[in-house]
Amino acid sequence: MKRYDLIVVGAGPAGLSAAIEGAKRGLKTVIFDENEKPGGQLFKQIHKFFGSKEHRAKIRGFKIGEELLAEAAGLGVEVVLNAAVIGLYQEKEVVVRIGEAVRHYKGDAVIVATGATENAVYFEGWDLPGVIGAGAAQTMMNLHGVRPGEKVLMLGAGNVGLVVSFQLLQAGCEVVAVADAASAVGGYGVHAAKVARTGVSFYLSHTIIKAEGGDRVNAVTIAEVDERFQFIPGTEKRFEVDTVCLAVGLSPMCQLLKMAGCRVLEIPAKGGQVPLVGTRGETSADGIFAAGDVSGIEEASSAMIEGRIAGIAAAEYLGYAVNAELEAAIAENEAALSELRQGMFAPGRRGDMVEFTDEGIHVSVSLLKKGYVNDEEIARFTSASETPGFRPIIECTQNIPCNPCRDVCPRNCIKVESITALPRLNEYNACSGCGLCVASCPGQAIFLVNGDVGGGFANVTLPYEFLPLPKEGDRGVALGRDGQVVCEAWVSKAQISSAFDKTNLLTIKVPAEMAGKARFFKSKGAV
Amino acid sequence: MEKRIGEHPILGKPQKGKLVTFTFDGAAAQGYEGEPISAALAAAGVSVHRYTAKAHKPRGIFCAIGRCTDCVMVVDGEVNVRACVTPLRAGMDVKTQRGVSAV
């Protein structure tokens, strides 16, 4: 039986981070992962991450995955793929199926970072081909380059449903609607807004009655539900689709921890059965730690920090870390983690109906019900002026932990006081119009407006992550936050820059009075 | 609509192995070496991977990461092969699975 100081199960964001911290402190470390490729779900995450510099904000998930793999390799972490851990027994004996062989290993410490599995939801026809998990759609299009379908209905307006809806649009699929049985959008409002402004309709308090089809789904019917989640007759809406995506939550995969005798609790707010863990990821079983979604559903940024903490804690457990260094490293990570866990979407506030931002501004109800901030509500947060000169319009209306806009501005125009505070303009007249804030906002919620470019027109610069990128001189229409046509528009500039990292900047010319409304562009041919 | 993404706004052109020929239910089909069998089939417009044993209902991709086993097929005579995590190789014989047997 081969022995390692540290055995990590799962090569996703938590597992890789844990292994890195362990190996850094001299632990002989191995990671087993059942997949053909490492990285867990990171390589399907093509959006820019939220947070601050310490959390790798504004870097896309797959890039973070590449960085973690390189770091782990540099530290000599062994990553064994196609290796499914099928047993975790007393004395930290780890049983792994590698190909057709079953091998036994001994870990002096074990970190379980197995992540989560997608939930399903049952309705008539849910088993038809074409009804797939949202994660499956991500895997097909972002890893394998194949569109999951042409016309898609997304069930689920949490972050997964919203992010995958946007990714479907980026892959060239049509998203006919986003539906959710909940009465409010559960994910970040900015993720909803970037989907809604392209013209996708949101149906909150709606769920699927049935999917129809022969060898593949060809239609789906949704209907409104009451407070007790019962269908309201007469509210049915039928869509012709070839794909239905389910984004109805994740469940932690803690089977190995249960097998090892760790105490497990049923905590609905954490996604189901989760191990009882201390602040350093330690479970009730000696020398066994848990990190990432397996100990409670959050997202990749917190999973990476939990992994780091567990890796350091495992080093301490084995006597590899000097106490002072360890305490400092843990304190630093705990501070970073606590930053991510603040604001309206903090784990402790899940399910709460928030009425006001931390600044005391009434939140946008339209954003929660329809996926976009309406014209009346946006005035509470920002306003476009009809004067010459550039000005960033920041349509960031919820307290989420994120601040790249502040850090990228070369002229210090944007302030974000605490990490969850809404960004505010600081002497906005100094804005040079460089567009870095527009490109770096992970929520694509910043627009640059030049309120007077002559002739009664204004320029609006918006983030554009679709192909083809319209060209200078192209004619088309501007869409509002609600995805409806607001006016004719002309492309005055299309900027591509490595500093923008694939978020191209499209500047459109619109009548000056529309500068506060025009938030997306469709070429004439595409209308 | 073409099922394969020619160029992606963030990911660029998909990195693929070489184009190979395999057999699907006796007919020649093409896909890229190393991609999951299910990706090659999806690109060719195939949605049904198997029919259930009792009710003969169609099943296809559901999770796409080897967890749900809905997409299993008969590959080179072996039943219950997860098409979503099994890399495509030239000359593979892929068949729609009926129930739990190869016929």
Side-chain angles (χ1 to χ4, degrees), chain A residues 34-36 41 44 46 60 62 97 117-120 126-133 135-136 139-147 149-150 167 170-174 214-216 246 253 465-467 502-503, chain B residues 1-12 14-16 34-36 38-40 42-51 57-67 70 78 82 84-87 89:
Chain A
E34 65 177 333
N35 297 291
E36 198 194 3
Q41 307 311 305
K44 303 167 194 175
I46 60 170
R60 298 183 191 274
F62 67 98
R97 194 191 65 230
T117 183
E118 280 193 289
N119 296 339
W126 82 283
D127 54 357
L128 280 169
V131 178
I132 60 174
T139 305
M140 291 172 76
M141 58 192 174
N142 298 345
L143 282 191
H144 306 309
V146 178
R147 295 184 180 93
E150 284 182 34
Q167 292 175 359
Q170 289 180 304
C173 308
E174 181 187 345
D215 273 350
R216 184 171 179 121
L246 307 179
M253 291 202 286
E465 289 192 349
F466 299 97
L467 287 178
K502 305 281 168 75
T503 308
Chain B
M1 187 200 264
E2 168 58 40
K3 301 279 194 301
R4 290 197 188 269
I5 300 170
E7 189 175 0
H8 189 282
I10 308 302
L11 301 167
Q15 301 288 310
K16 289 288 181 184
E35 71 180 356
S38 64
V46 176
S47 299
V48 180
H49 285 213
R50 67 180 179 108
Y51 289 93
K57 288 168 77 175
R59 289 287 189 271
I61 296 169
F62 183 72
C63 78
I65 53 169
R67 187 144 289 281
D70 233 14
E78 192 184 333
R82 295 173 298 171
C84 72
V85 290
T86 303
R89 302 278 170 245

Side-chain angles (χ1 to χ4, degrees), chain A residues 99-122:
Chain A
E100 295 301 306
V102 170
R103 299 209 170 95
H104 292 245
Y105 298 87
K106 167 83 168 70
D108 289 346
V110 173
I111 297 176
V112 176
T114 42
T117 183
E118 280 193 289
N119 296 339
V121 61
Y122 314 110

Side-chain angles (χ1 to χ4, degrees), chain A residues 197-217:
Chain A
R197 77 172 71 112
T198 70
V200 176
S201 299
F202 280 63
Y203 294 90
L204 277 296
S205 297
H206 277 71
T207 193
I208 296 175
I209 294 186
K210 64 172 176 180
E212 301 162 59
D215 273 350
R216 184 171 179 121
V217 61

Side-chain angles (χ1 to χ4, degrees), chain A residues 304-352:
Chain A
M304 288 186 278
I305 304 174
E306 284 186 4
R308 290 194 181 273
I309 294 175
I312 301 167
E316 182 200 34
Y317 171 80
L318 296 174
Y320 275 73
V322 186
N323 222 6
E325 183 266 347
L326 176 104
E327 291 299 330
I330 285 192
E332 188 185 315
N333 278 294
E334 281 176 345
L337 189 57
S338 114
E339 281 202 319
L340 285 180
R341 288 177 173 164
Q342 285 166 23
M344 287 180 182
F345 293 85
R349 289 170 81 174
R350 201 162 287 169
D352 289 2

Side-chain angles (χ1 to χ4, degrees), chain A residues 12-36:
Chain A
L16 285 170
S17 305
I20 286 168
E21 293 299 328
K24 242 188 228 175
R25 288 167 178 79
L27 272 59
K28 187 180 164 200
T29 303
V30 66
I31 311 180
F32 294 113
D33 192 293
E34 65 177 333
N35 297 291
E36 198 194 3

Side-chain angles (χ1 to χ4, degrees), chain A residues 264-293:
Chain A
V264 165
L265 301 172
E266 176 76 34
I267 305 179
K270 292 192 168 191
Q273 285 199 339
V274 288
L276 178 70
V277 288
T279 53
R280 296 174 179 188
E282 66 276 25
T283 68
S284 64
D286 187 45
I288 298 180
F289 301 80
D293 274 356

